[in-house]
Structure formats: C-alpha cells, structure tokens
Amino acid sequence: MAEAPQGLRILLHQHQKERVPVYISSHAERDQVLEIFRSAILQPGPPANFALQTVQDAIKTQRQTVLVQEENQSLENAIRTLLQELVSSAVQSGERIMQYGQSMDMEETQGHIPRLLDIVLYLCERGHVEGGMIFQLLEDLTEMSTMRDCKEVFGYIESKQDILGKQELFGRGKLVMLRTCNQLLRRLSKANDVVFCGRILMFLAHFFPLSERSAVNIKGVFNTSNETRYEKDAPDGTSVDFNFYTIFWSLQEHFCNPAATTLAPTKWQKFVSNLMVVLDTFEAQPLSDDDGNTNNLEEQEASTFSIKYLTSSKLMGLELKDPSFRCHILLQCLILFDYLKAPGKNDKGVPSESMKEEIKSYEECVKKLLESIPPKGKEFLHCIEHILEREKNWVWWKRDGCPPFEKQPAEKKMGQDGLRKRRPRWRLGNKELHHLWKWAEANPDALTDSQRVRIPSVMEYWKALAEDMDISAGIEAEYHHKNNRVYCWKGLRFSARQDLEGFSRFTEYGIEGVVPPELFPLEVRSKYHTKPNERSKKAKKEEEMKGTAQQVEDNQITTPATDIDGGVGTEFEDAAAVPMETDATVISIPNSGVATPDENQKQSPDTDVVPEAGHLEIEVEAEAETGIVDGETDAEAD
C-alpha cells in the first residue's frame, strides 16, 4: 500500500476558527464503520451528497475532525474488509462481481462494489482521504476476481481514467496501478486473450506520460522466452520438403534474439543462407490474385485469428499459399534489418561493411516480394516503411535518455500590485519593426538618405558573374552565379534599365552576353564580344549597296563623256589597287563629277562606313550597272 508521509493530516471540515485537533483512536469499532459504509452504498444520488458525511460518521460523530495517518490507515483497512465481504457474497450468490446488488427493475442503478469505488474515488479526488486508497482497492479487487470478472473491473478503470490520471492522484498511485496491470498481463494468455492484453497496454500508454521510463525498454532486452517450437524429425507421410521446413522455422530463433545473431559470425552466415533459401522459395512460387482473395485476412472472423501460426509440417503447404503468412514472415525480416541499422549502437553492435551490403541487398529483395503479394502488397509495404521510419525517432529518444516531451505551462507574470501585466501592442506587429518605424519617424533624414535604398550599377552587379567566368579563378561551374535564378533575374532587370545594348545580347549568348565586356579578361571577351552578328552585317551591306549604286548612276548622267574617257577608269583602277587600312578610309575621285565623301554623308545620313571588302564589292557592282568597264575604256583609248 502507498503509505502517506509521517505527520500527514487531511482536513475533513474547514473550521472558521482554529481549534485543537481531536485525535481518533485507531481501535474504533470496525463493525460500526462497515455498517455506516453499507448504508452509504444504498443511498441514491451522487457521492458528493453524502460521502463526506459518511467519513465523519465512521470516524467520529463530531464534525470538527482532523484525519491523521493512523485514522486514515484504519479507515482503509475497514473499507478493504468491506470490499472482501462484498466479493465473497457475490461469489456465493453466483452473480457477477460488478453486478452484485444491482436492482433488476432499475437497470441504471449500480452494483454495490462500483458504488463503493465511486464513493472512495470522490473522497480521494477531494483530498478527504489519502489519494492512494482507490488504487489499493482496485488492486485487491483484481486479485480476488476471475479473469471473466477482471474484464468488467478493468472496464470500470478505463471509464475513470481521466480522474485517476489527475496529478493529485497519479503521483500517489501510479506504481500501484502499474503493478496491477502487470499482474493482469501475467495471468492472461498472450494467444487467447489478445484483445484484453491490448486494452491493458493501451490504457498504460494513455495513463502514463510519454516520457515515463517505466514503460521503456532502456537496455533493449529481447523476450527470449517466446520460443517457436517445431518438429525436429520428419514424420511419416509428410508431403513437403522437410529440409525446407526445418530451415524455414529455424529463422524464428534469429528473429527472437537478433543481437546474438550479429555478434557471432557463424550464426550470421547460417541466418543468411537460410533466409536466402526461404526468399528463393517465395519468389519461385508467386501467389495469384485468386490466392489473395481466398485467404484475405480482413474477411476472417476475429475468433479464428491467432497471434502465432501453427508449426505442423502438414500445414506447411497451405501456409505457403497464405498471403498473410508470407507478409508475417517478411515483416519479421524487415524488423530485424531495421534493428541492425538502428542508430545509437555501441562499437560491438555495429555491423561490418560487408554485413551492411548484405542487409541492403536482402532488404530490397524482401520489399519486392512484399509488393508482389496480393491483394494489397504495395499499400502494406508503404505502411510498414512509414512505421519503421517513425521507429527511428523512438530509438533516438531512448538513446538520449528519454527526455520529457511535456512542457510546463508558462507562468503568468504579475505586476507589483498583483495584477497581470498587459501584453504590449506593437504598431507593426513585433518589437523590431516597431522600433525601426519609430526611429524613421524621429529621423526624417533617414528616409531621404541616398544609401538607404541604392540600386547597384550594371558594372558592379555583374562583377561576381565575370569573376566566375575567369578561368584563372578556378571556380567550379556548380558554384557560378548563373545558376542562381534570382541573381540572373535581377541582373536582367538592371541591364534592361541601364544597358539596353547588353540586354539585347541575351538572346544570342545567354546570360554571359549581358555582362559588360570591360569586366571580362581578353580570352573571355573575344568569345562574347566580337564583330556584329551576321544578320546586322548583311543588312548594312544591302543598304550601302543601294545607296552607292544610286549615287554612281546619278553621277554618270551628269558627267561629260570626255571626263569619263579621260581618267575615270584609271582613277577607279588606282583607287581599287590601294589597300585600305581602316574602316574610315574613303575613295576620292577628283574632277570626275562624283560626289565627295561629305556629300555622300549628306545624301545618305543613315549609311555607315563599311569595311574594305564592302567598298570593293560596291564599286564593281556600280561599274557593271553604268557600263563603265575597264575593257571598254581601253578600247576607246586605242
């Protein structure tokens, strides 16, 4: 029993004036106490109407009473005796324990034992008696009940879970409740009472906090007592390969204790060889959709489902055709592989590199087999992978010493006058933006400062990309700024506003062509900034050709024949023979009537000066159109 600390006193009645406590003898008449509680059980209404008065009458008829440890102990003993008598009476009458004393006319009424438990629970919740009394009564009740009655007793515990889990009661009785549930689990059959065992485990998971270390297997100890027994000798008339039968069920020895399998190399090699035989057999005998529909586990009744499969050699052929059976075995393989790969192991538990490669290959093979199992193999594998992934978080939490998940509520800060401080309201949502805005209002010059919002120049912005393209810098391509989409997008906007010529080179050379040529070294500049492109060059040739041809034709009409015969052909030949050094070189034809360079500039202001090759082509075409050919001029001269 959870004993109270020395000197514990629980006030039953609040006095208006402080009085000297009247101590009660621990040898009070037990029969009188039992009779008072028997009559209290029969009273209608909620326990809040009469529970406190019942305790006062049981201990002493006076109202001004202080219950100390000895009186609390005597009261607990009396109530435990009453509970034992009620259970004995229920057994003798042949009624169910939790239904004993329930009126047949009124189905809503409770039995005597649930009524007694409600009274004690109310007294414990209000602090009138020691908080661990209700847990002690529940433990006694489960020990005195059969397994059939324990299910109803545990149903009562589940219904009062919220009250029992309160902080004032949980600290007093958590160890008693844990002991009660563990005793029930020991009495239950893990094969026949699966649902009841699950209810108890679910209750413990909800009753205790997540960070409770008592429910965690810190050392990672395996349940080696769960042995799978199978036939060692081949029976007469067996229809399956007995060698495969022994290999198949011998895997359960490794699944039962994976740590022992990995520590010994011989055991690991034996496990790998046996596992390969089983996987090859599963792969050689795939299941069809008909097998999946016939042996669907979801359609089976709950009464036919067992937590372990039968190991008779006569059933081996049927079990191999069962999809749920294959899923069960393959799932065990994945759990073992996940344990071997789990983090937080010491040096002895870490598998070797060769073992890791084998685990990886076998894990892929197991997953492929799971996907091929009808009718929902892929969905089943997806769920298992999700569960195993979440299991890693649980392993890391245990490795770190099970730190608590719960966070204590933040205490409300009180002012000097005892009132809660009001939360300050910021103009722009938080403290930093509020002070920034307030500082700008106090300093108007900050809004007009040139350095406050400054758009960088094109030369400054593209400098980083130009450095990336410098071969001597040795910057790898994956770290270039051109891979940053935001950087390129901002640079194109700057170039569109400040360098339209550079922006036009984006369609031909990409983002590198937008960079100003001054930022590039010579070997890189020649790649992206050479002569004009072929399209603009051809357009300029056509314009020059049309303009020059028109000028030459006009000059031929206005120029006398004698001047033409006198030296035009010679002048053209001399001019064509002179090499042109620069693009700005112009041919002058004196006394021929041909327009001077200044006049050509006036007549065709849009015509640019073309290179040397352009002049030669234009002159030849112009001579051909006007009939001034060198051969004709020479003939006339002769």
Side-chain angles (χ1 to χ4, degrees), residues 342-365:
K345 293 182 178 297
N346 51 20
D347 296 337
K348 295 182 179 179
V350 176
S352 60
E353 295 297 330
S354 60
M355 190 181 297
K356 290 181 181 179
E357 294 295 332
E358 292 179 347
I359 292 172
K360 185 177 179 180
S361 61
Y362 290 135
E363 186 177 12
E364 293 178 355
C365 182

Side-chain angles (χ1 to χ4, degrees), residues 475-506:
I475 302 176
E476 298 179 3
E478 58 179 332
Y479 300 109
H480 285 189
H481 285 74
K482 66 180 181 179
N483 299 326
N484 189 345
R485 296 183 178 182
V486 178
Y487 176 82
C488 298
W489 177 75
K490 289 183 178 180
L492 290 174
R493 292 196 63 182
F494 292 153
S495 299
R497 293 182 178 181
Q498 303 178 20
D499 185 15
L500 191 59
E501 181 182 357
F503 180 76
S504 62
R505 291 192 294 269
F506 175 75

Side-chain angles (χ1 to χ4, degrees), residues 188-199 305-307:
L188 293 173
S189 172
K190 295 182 180 179
N192 299 327
D193 300 321
V194 181
V195 178
F196 193 16
C197 292
R199 287 174 57 190
F305 175 72
S306 179
I307 194 172

Side-chain angles (χ1 to χ4, degrees), residues 459-476:
M459 299 286 291
E460 180 181 356
Y461 188 83
W462 291 116
K463 186 176 181 180
L465 181 57
E467 293 177 354
D468 295 341
M469 299 173 63
D470 189 0
I471 302 176
S472 61
I475 302 176
E476 298 179 3

Side-chain angles (χ1 to χ4, degrees), residues 2-50:
E3 296 183 357
Q6 187 69 24
L8 174 65
R9 285 174 171 79
I10 302 176
L11 188 62
L12 292 181
H13 186 76
Q14 188 69 28
H15 314 296
Q16 294 181 355
K17 295 181 180 181
E18 185 177 358
R19 298 184 181 183
V20 178
V22 180
Y23 293 97
I24 307 301
S25 173
S26 59
H27 302 286
E29 294 293 337
R30 188 181 63 178
D31 295 340
Q32 182 181 357
V33 176
L34 296 179
E35 188 64 30
I36 292 174
F37 271 91
R38 284 194 185 97
S39 61
I41 292 173
L42 301 176
Q43 292 185 20
N49 298 338
F50 57 87

Side-chain angles (χ1 to χ4, degrees), residues 233-406:
D233 300 328
D236 298 335
T238 180
S239 59
V240 294
D241 186 4
F242 192 77
N243 186 27
F244 172 77
Y245 167 81
T246 54
I247 289 176
F248 180 85
W249 288 112
S250 64
L251 292 177
Q252 298 300 321
E253 300 176 2
H254 304 280
F255 294 149
C256 181
N257 191 5
T261 302
T262 56
L263 292 178
T266 55
K267 288 187 176 181
W268 172 254
Q269 293 299 330
K270 181 180 179 181
F271 167 74
V272 169
S273 59
N274 294 346
L275 179 62
M276 200 62 197
V277 172
V278 175
L279 296 181
D280 291 342
T281 304
F282 283 174
E283 187 175 1
Q285 300 179 8
L287 298 177
S288 61
D289 295 337
D290 296 336
D291 296 331
N293 296 330
T294 305
N295 301 304
N296 192 356
L297 181 62
E298 298 177 356
E299 298 178 357
Q300 296 180 6
E301 297 181 0
S303 58
T304 61
F305 175 72
S306 179
I307 194 172
K308 294 189 70 173
Y309 286 94
L310 300 177
T311 59
S312 175
S313 59
K314 298 179 180 180
L315 300 175
M316 195 69 207
L318 298 176
E319 288 176 335
L320 290 178
K321 297 181 180 180
D322 187 1
S324 61
F325 179 78
R326 291 198 180 188
C327 290
H328 183 88
I329 301 301
L330 296 176
L331 176 58
Q332 286 182 308
C333 297
L334 291 180
I335 293 175
L336 186 140
F337 296 152
D338 188 70
Y339 164 76
L340 297 178
K341 298 187 301 181
K345 293 182 178 297
N346 51 20
D347 296 337
K348 295 182 179 179
V350 176
S352 60
E353 295 297 330
S354 60
M355 190 181 297
K356 290 181 181 179
E357 294 295 332
E358 292 179 347
I359 292 172
K360 185 177 179 180
S361 61
Y362 290 135
E363 186 177 12
E364 293 178 355
C365 182
V366 169
K367 290 182 178 180
K368 290 181 180 179
L369 290 174
L370 274 175
E371 286 183 349
S372 62
I373 295 178
K376 298 179 180 180
K378 293 184 178 180
E379 291 80 355
F380 179 78
L381 176 61
H382 179 73
C383 294
I384 295 302
E385 289 178 341
H386 179 70
I387 294 172
L388 294 178
E389 186 66 27
R390 292 179 61 89
E391 184 70 14
K392 294 179 181 178
N393 300 329
W394 183 260
V395 173
W396 278 107
W397 175 70
K398 290 198 296 183
R399 194 208 66 167
D400 296 338
C402 306
F405 288 102
E406 298 81 6

Side-chain angles (χ1 to χ4, degrees), residues 92-137:
Q92 292 177 1
S93 63
E95 299 182 19
R96 306 285 289 272
I97 290 178
M98 299 299 288
Q99 298 176 2
Y100 173 71
Q102 184 177 1
S103 176
M104 300 298 295
D105 299 335
M106 301 176 63
E107 296 180 356
E108 298 179 357
T109 58
Q110 291 179 308
H112 291 172
I113 294 178
R115 188 66 169 172
L116 177 62
L117 295 176
D118 287 345
I119 295 173
V120 177
L121 181 60
Y122 173 79
L123 294 174
C124 293
E125 183 183 4
R126 299 296 179 180
H128 299 317
V129 296
E130 201 272 328
M133 185 182 298
I134 180 63
F135 296 96
Q136 188 63 51
L137 293 178

